[in-house]
Amino acid sequence: MRAKKDPKTGKWYIRFRYTDWQGKRRETMKRGFDTKHDAEEWLRAFLSEQKADLNVTFAEFTEMYFKGISPRLRENTLRTKRYIIDLRIMPYLGAKKINEITPANIIAWENEMLSKDYSQTYMKTVYNQLNAIFNYAVKYYDLRSNPCSKAGAIGKNKADEMNFWTKDEFTKFADCISDKPMAYVAYCTLFWTGLRIGELMALTPADIDFNGKTLTVNKSYQRIEDRDVITPPKTPKSNRTISIPDFLCDMLKQYCESLYGIKSNERIFPFTKHFLHHEMERGCKKSGVKRIRLHDIRHSHCALLYELGIPPLEIAERLGHERVETTMQVYAHLYPNKQEKLSAKLEELMKNGDDENDRK
C-alpha cells in the first residue's frame, strides 16, 4: 500500500485494501495528492477511522467527528462549531494524540481560556464544543474516559445580567431610524413579535395573514459565504403561527404594498445581518439608547410579555421554545423589580384583609 506517482498528471495516488464497518474486505484507490507524504498520511487517518483507532491526533479525530455529525446539523451550525474549534481549541490540543490527552492538559487549556477577557457564556460555549468531541470519542470509538469530565467545566450557561430594551427605550431608538422604512419596520417586527433574526429575514408576503392578523414562522435565512440559504427554523417548536397587534399588522401591510411587484414567496426584508448591525449602530448613536445585541431584541420582547403578566407557557409558545423551562431560566430575571412588585401586592392584600376585619 505504498503511494505511487501518476506520470500523466504528476499527482500521487494510493491503492489499498481495508475492512469496512460491516466487516467486509474492500479495495479502492485515492488519487490527487501533491506529495507521497500527503497520500500516506491520508491513508493512515482513513484506516484509523475505519478501525476506530484512537492513535490519531486531536485534529485528525475532529475531522472524523465532523463527518459523523454533519448529516444531522444545519450548515450554519457546522460552520460555527468549526470556527470556534479551529480558533480556540486547535492551537492548544490539535497536535496531541486524542488518546493521550489528560485532565491536566484540559486544565492547562482552561487556565489559558480563563486568562483571556472572554465572557462567561462564551467560555461555556467553547468548553461545550471540546466536551462534545470527547463524548463522541467515548460513545462511538471506545475512548476510556472523557478528560473534560475530570477537569471540570468553565464558564456559565447564562449571563449574570442580560441586556434588553424597555418599551420607552425601543421607541426612542425606532424614532431615530424611521427615515429608513425597511429598517424601521424590521425592528418593529422584531420587538413586537420576538422573532429570531433569521426568521425575520426569511419572511415573505405569504407568511402574513392580514385578515387574521397572524404571522407564520416556518423557515430561517442565513447568508453563507456568497449564498442565500433558507433552512427550517431552529427547532420543531419554532414552526409556529403567532398573533400580531393591529398596529403592526397595518404597518406590515402598508410596507408590503410599497414593495412594488414583490411575489408571495419573495423575502420582504432582503438584507443581511450587516444592514441590521449598521442600523443598530446608527439608531443608538442618534437616540442615546444603550447598544444591545440583535438577539437581545428577542429578549426585550420576552421581558415585555413577562412584565405584562403573560404566563410562561404562552411566552414559550410564542417564542418557539422547545421547553417552557428554557423560557423561565433565560428570561425570568429580566425585570429585577418583579419580585418587589409581587411583595407589594401581597402586602396590599394583607392590609386590605385587616381593614375588612376591623370593619366587622
Side-chain angles (χ1 to χ4, degrees), residues 219-239:
K219 52 191 172 297
S220 183
Y221 167 88
Q222 291 90 31
R223 181 72 174 175
I224 300 177
E225 294 179 345
D226 295 324
R227 296 179 294 117
D228 292 331
V229 179
I230 301 293
T231 64
K234 186 177 181 180
T235 65
K237 279 284 184 70
S238 297
N239 287 281

Side-chain angles (χ1 to χ4, degrees), residues 112-127:
E112 185 68 24
M113 288 288 293
L114 290 168
S115 70
K116 309 293 185 182
D117 190 25
Y118 301 141
S119 70
Q120 289 292 318
T121 51
Y122 181 71
M123 285 193 291
K124 185 66 173 180
T125 297
V126 178
Y127 170 85

Side-chain angles (χ1 to χ4, degrees), residues 144-159:
R144 185 170 56 184
S145 64
N146 179 348
C148 291
S149 299
K150 295 182 179 180
I154 56 173
K156 297 181 181 179
N157 284 322
K158 61 182 181 181

Side-chain angles (χ1 to χ4, degrees), residues 17-131:
R17 295 185 179 88
Y18 70 100
T19 302
D20 68 13
W21 64 278
Q22 295 177 313
K24 296 180 180 179
R25 290 291 292 170
R26 298 185 179 277
E27 181 176 350
T28 189
M29 180 172 61
K30 181 72 173 178
R31 300 177 178 272
F33 298 101
D34 293 329
T35 66
K36 179 180 179 181
H37 178 265
D38 289 344
E40 292 176 347
E41 280 296 304
W42 178 88
L43 178 60
R44 185 177 69 82
F46 176 83
L47 293 178
S48 293
E49 180 177 349
Q50 296 300 315
K51 295 187 298 181
D53 182 0
L54 288 174
N55 189 31
V56 295
T57 65
F58 178 84
E60 290 168 334
F61 183 80
T62 299
E63 291 305 314
M64 295 158 58
Y65 166 74
F66 275 114
K67 286 180 183 178
I69 66 171
S70 59
R72 299 172 177 83
L73 298 178
R74 295 192 301 176
E75 181 181 358
N76 200 47
T77 302
L78 284 169
R79 286 171 59 86
T80 300
K81 287 175 73 69
R82 186 178 285 278
Y83 177 80
I84 292 172
I85 291 167
D86 288 348
L87 188 65
R88 304 299 180 205
I89 301 174
M90 282 300 171
Y92 304 96
L93 300 175
K96 294 182 180 294
K97 294 289 183 66
I98 191 167
N99 58 358
E100 296 177 358
I101 295 176
T102 66
N105 296 139
I106 301 301
I107 290 173
W109 169 78
E110 290 178 341
N111 288 338
E112 185 68 24
M113 288 288 293
L114 290 168
S115 70
K116 309 293 185 182
D117 190 25
Y118 301 141
S119 70
Q120 289 292 318
T121 51
Y122 181 71
M123 285 193 291
K124 185 66 173 180
T125 297
V126 178
Y127 170 85
N128 285 345
Q129 301 301 330
L130 179 62
N131 190 47

